[in-house]
Amino acid sequence: MTETHTINEEEIAKRWQKFAHVSPYNRELGLLPHAVRTDWCVLKVEYQEALVGDPQTRVLHGGVITALLDAAFGFAIFVKLPEIRPMATLDLRIDYLKPATPGRAILGGAVCYKLTAELAFVRGAAYHDTPDDPIATAVGIYMFTSGRPVLRNEDVPR
Amino acid sequence: MTETHTINEEEIAKRWQKFAHVSPYNRELGLLPHAVRTDWCVLKVEYQEALVGDPQTRVLHGGVITALLDAAFGFAIFVKLPEIRPMATLDLRIDYLKPATPGRAILGGAVCYKLTAELAFVRGAAYHDTPDDPIATAVGIYMFTSGRPVLRNEDVPR
Amino acid sequence: MTETHTINEEEIAKRWQKFAHVSPYNRELGLLPHAVRTDWCVLKVEYQEALVGDPQTRVLHGGVITALLDAAFGFAIFVKLPEIRPMATLDLRIDYLKPATPGRAILGGAVCYKLTAELAFVRGAAYHDTPDDPIATAVGIYMFTSGRPVLRNEDVPR
Amino acid sequence: MTETHTINEEEIAKRWQKFAHVSPYNRELGLLPHAVRTDWCVLKVEYQEALVGDPQTRVLHGGVITALLDAAFGFAIFVKLPEIRPMATLDLRIDYLKPATPGRAILGGAVCYKLTAELAFVRGAAYHDTPDDPIATAVGIYMFTSGRPVLRNEDVPR
């Protein structure tokens, strides 16, 4: 991978962040781009007491994992498109494999593995260290809704 | 339905709320019991700017719907059990049918339609007025984890 | 329900059967319309040794349940449309709750609970006696593919 | 990979086939082991007129894809275990990405990516040439049911 690509990935991450942080909900979760590759986009959520589901175990709430994966899916589709297009989650399936470790940040990685004019198919995983030891895995389908692009990616040098 | 049942339902709702509100994440979402029946338990989330996903449309974030349904599933299992047992979401599938209306509260209803020694099968819907006009529908499987009951329901008169 | 409606339902069932039995796979399974209502369409598969999954238990193969539900989904969408439109299964989720009883026929019921210009959302169940005691439950999304209608329902008196 | 491993894989494939072909339904579909690796087990179904779903397009019935993937999931779990244990499909989600090409065989590949005392988590894909260009993708959870092993793998040299 060349230097030029790395710079562009940073640009795309910034662009996404600017777009995503308009959302109060995303801001509250504090989701941050962690890695940008067309075959694996990663967002990160830091451990926060406010996101705990069970105070006894101090494990983060399952809803945080879901929101992280949903956002990572949007991010993974975004990097495959020339622009941000309005889209809606059509469906989502999440399998929970083990509890997150209290005190540790969680990564949410995703890839858009099929893209048509109307639909985007994605899969991903939430994990601490590697997708091969997942906290949760997920698949989803997103549908592009009618309307003009929200933000064009073509201004971002690739 | 008799007066006695109504009172017990209130007791169960209070009991659940006390348990659920220990969770900072649930507190932040402000989930409240709305109706308690063994065949349809309903939680409510009020419209809040902090939970908005897209400031332009003012539609609540999809993650809120998911968290609402996940909590309603837990509630629906709780009313079928003699005690609160430690359990984990095994998997969840959500279908999104239409955007929530900005400014309106969302109800999340659920029923635990099959219960075994190890598993609970649930289905539910998120909606404004009636489950027949859903914002989202969902199914899930929960697994009881080993360990003693967290809270007994048997002290709650039924 | 009036006599007239009953007759039309029979017509719709015949029409569907004619269409469905063009498929060798459906013929082999021997799927038959059992009941036709816009809110619950039911197909039936008789117990057959050739469809057994495990000779020791004599339980029908899980794939039979899936095929039955997939067909019932198509049937449930068909009764809601003025014509048979070409469509494709987009996704399917099936939860298996208990084994089918050897020697008994299985019913597959379904309802198309949301219909848009592009998509049909369905849910259903496989059972012996009643959907409330299911062998399996399922949800799915079907997508209408471009092209002209395969068969018009409008010729069928309603 | 050594010669010895290749031989064992053949042994495992034979062993599985012997077990699977006891099922009339599997025999009818004519499922055959195509490749055996603990990280990707592949079954094959040849194109057959009897399995066609739509005679006009000559595309195989979706139920064939589902049955293929369900069997591949069982195969993928089998190679990870020291014995064949009685188990049941708990749930299955399938995403259909494109129609199968008429006249061509279909491969169903799968991996068991998480195994606990009670559950097996699997994912897989149906395809003609490569899993990267899938006809369908799938995830599922299987549950080990009580009872003794059906067939021990330990007699198979590894």
Side-chain angles (χ1 to χ4, degrees):
Chain A
M1 206 176 288
T2 67
E3 182 73 4
T4 320
H5 277 90
T6 312
I7 290 166
N8 292 356
E9 284 166 9
E10 274 174 24
E11 282 299 316
I12 287 172
K14 275 183 203 162
R15 184 62 69 111
W16 178 85
Q17 204 173 345
K18 204 174 161 183
F19 169 75
H21 273 239
V22 177
S23 152
Y25 190 77
N26 277 343
R27 267 206 311 275
E28 215 157 314
L29 289 176
L31 302 180
L32 289 174
H34 181 76
V36 187
R37 289 197 339 244
T38 50
D39 63 342
W40 199 248
C41 284
V42 186
L43 296 178
K44 188 181 185 172
V45 59
E46 293 292 344
Y47 185 81
Q48 302 157 60
E49 294 296 338
L51 303 179
V52 163
D54 179 348
Q56 281 193 303
T57 61
R58 296 180 56 240
V59 169
L60 287 188
H61 194 278
V64 176
I65 308 274
T66 312
L68 170 67
L69 285 166
D70 196 10
F73 280 168
F75 191 23
I77 297 167
F78 172 56
V79 302
K80 285 273 182 88
L81 294 174
E83 70 228 354
I84 294 190
R85 292 177 59 190
M87 64 182 182
T89 313
L90 194 56
D91 63 39
L92 209 59
R93 169 174 167 157
I94 305 176
D95 292 280
Y96 299 89
L97 291 107
K98 62 168 191 182
T101 305
R104 297 200 62 188
I106 302 176
L107 301 176
V111 57
C112 171
Y113 68 96
K114 172 106 178 180
L115 199 60
T116 74
E118 291 158 318
L119 300 171
F121 295 80
V122 284
R123 67 168 160 259
Y127 51 94
H128 291 306
D129 299 306
T130 158
D132 294 336
D133 184 20
I135 296 161
T137 57
V139 294
I141 305 180
Y142 289 70
M143 189 173 220
F144 299 113
T145 51
S146 54
R148 61 209 150 89
V150 175
L151 179 71
R152 286 181 182 281
N153 252 352
E154 55 199 23
D155 307 323
V156 184
R158 288 186 177 240
Chain B
M1 207 175 287
T2 68
E3 182 72 4
T4 321
H5 276 89
T6 313
I7 290 166
N8 292 355
E9 284 166 11
E10 274 173 27
E11 282 299 316
I12 288 173
K14 273 184 205 162
R15 185 62 71 111
W16 179 85
Q17 202 173 348
K18 203 174 161 184
F19 169 73
H21 273 239
V22 176
S23 152
Y25 190 77
N26 277 342
R27 267 205 312 273
E28 215 158 316
L29 289 175
L31 302 179
L32 289 174
H34 181 76
V36 187
R37 289 197 337 246
T38 51
D39 63 343
W40 198 249
C41 284
V42 187
L43 296 179
K44 187 182 187 173
V45 60
E46 293 293 345
Y47 185 81
Q48 303 157 60
E49 295 296 337
L51 303 179
V52 163
D54 178 348
Q56 281 193 303
T57 62
R58 295 181 56 241
V59 169
L60 287 188
H61 194 280
V64 175
I65 308 274
T66 312
L68 170 66
L69 285 166
D70 195 10
F73 281 168
F75 191 23
I77 297 167
F78 172 57
V79 302
K80 286 273 183 88
L81 294 174
E83 70 226 353
I84 294 189
R85 291 176 60 190
M87 65 182 180
T89 312
L90 194 55
D91 62 40
L92 210 57
R93 166 172 169 158
I94 304 175
D95 292 278
Y96 299 89
L97 291 108
K98 62 170 191 181
T101 305
R104 299 199 64 190
I106 302 175
L107 300 176
V111 56
C112 170
Y113 67 98
K114 173 104 179 184
L115 199 60
T116 73
E118 291 159 318
L119 300 171
F121 295 80
V122 283
R123 68 169 161 258
Y127 52 94
H128 291 307
D129 299 306
T130 158
D132 293 335
D133 184 19
I135 297 162
T137 56
V139 293
I141 304 179
Y142 289 70
M143 190 173 217
F144 298 112
T145 50
S146 53
R148 61 209 150 89
V150 176
L151 180 71
R152 285 181 182 281
N153 252 353
E154 56 200 23
D155 307 324
V156 185
R158 289 188 176 236
Chain C
M1 207 176 287
T2 69
E3 184 70 4
T4 321
H5 277 90
T6 313
I7 290 165
N8 293 355
E9 284 166 10
E10 274 173 26
E11 281 301 316
I12 287 173
K14 274 183 205 160
R15 185 60 71 110
W16 178 84
Q17 204 174 346
K18 205 175 160 183
F19 168 75
H21 274 238
V22 178
S23 151
Y25 190 77
N26 278 342
R27 267 206 310 275
E28 213 156 317
L29 289 176
L31 303 180
L32 288 174
H34 180 75
V36 187
R37 291 200 333 247
T38 50
D39 64 341
W40 199 249
C41 283
V42 186
L43 296 179
K44 187 181 186 173
V45 60
E46 293 292 345
Y47 186 81
Q48 302 158 59
E49 295 296 337
L51 303 179
V52 163
D54 178 348
Q56 281 193 303
T57 61
R58 294 181 56 241
V59 170
L60 287 188
H61 195 278
V64 176
I65 309 273
T66 311
L68 170 66
L69 285 166
D70 195 10
F73 280 168
F75 191 24
I77 297 167
F78 172 56
V79 301
K80 286 273 182 89
L81 294 174
E83 69 227 357
I84 294 190
R85 292 177 60 190
M87 65 183 182
T89 312
L90 193 57
D91 62 41
L92 208 60
R93 168 177 166 153
I94 304 175
D95 292 279
Y96 299 89
L97 291 107
K98 62 168 190 182
T101 305
R104 299 200 61 188
I106 301 175
L107 300 176
V111 56
C112 170
Y113 68 95
K114 172 108 181 181
L115 199 60
T116 74
E118 291 158 316
L119 300 171
F121 295 81
V122 283
R123 67 167 162 260
Y127 51 96
H128 292 304
D129 299 304
T130 159
D132 294 335
D133 184 20
I135 296 161
T137 58
V139 294
I141 304 179
Y142 290 69
M143 189 173 219
F144 299 113
T145 51
S146 54
R148 61 209 151 90
V150 176
L151 181 70
R152 286 181 182 280
N153 252 354
E154 55 199 25
D155 307 324
V156 184
R158 287 183 181 243
Chain D
M1 206 176 287
T2 67
E3 182 72 4
T4 320
H5 276 91
T6 312
I7 290 166
N8 291 355
E9 283 167 12
E10 275 173 27
E11 281 300 316
I12 287 172
K14 273 184 205 162
R15 185 60 72 111
W16 178 85
Q17 203 173 347
K18 203 173 162 184
F19 169 74
H21 273 240
V22 176
S23 152
Y25 190 77
N26 278 341
R27 268 205 310 274
E28 216 158 314
L29 289 175
L31 302 179
L32 288 174
H34 181 77
V36 187
R37 290 199 333 248
T38 50
D39 63 344
W40 199 247
C41 283
V42 187
L43 296 179
K44 188 181 186 173
V45 60
E46 293 293 344
Y47 185 80
Q48 301 158 59
E49 294 296 337
L51 302 179
V52 162
D54 178 349
Q56 281 193 303
T57 61
R58 296 181 55 239
V59 169
L60 287 188
H61 195 279
V64 176
I65 308 273
T66 311
L68 170 66
L69 284 166
D70 195 10
F73 281 168
F75 192 24
I77 297 167
F78 171 57
V79 302
K80 285 271 181 91
L81 295 174
E83 70 228 352
I84 295 189
R85 292 177 60 190
M87 66 182 179
T89 311
L90 193 57
D91 62 40
L92 209 57
R93 167 173 168 157
I94 304 176
D95 293 279
Y96 300 88
L97 291 107
K98 62 169 192 183
T101 305
R104 298 199 63 188
I106 301 175
L107 300 177
V111 56
C112 171
Y113 68 96
K114 172 106 178 183
L115 198 60
T116 73
E118 290 158 319
L119 300 170
F121 295 80
V122 283
R123 66 168 162 259
Y127 50 94
H128 291 306
D129 299 306
T130 156
D132 294 335
D133 184 19
I135 296 162
T137 57
V139 293
I141 305 180
Y142 289 70
M143 190 173 216
F144 299 113
T145 50
S146 54
R148 59 210 151 89
V150 176
L151 181 70
R152 286 180 182 281
N153 252 353
E154 56 199 24
D155 307 324
V156 185
R158 293 190 174 236

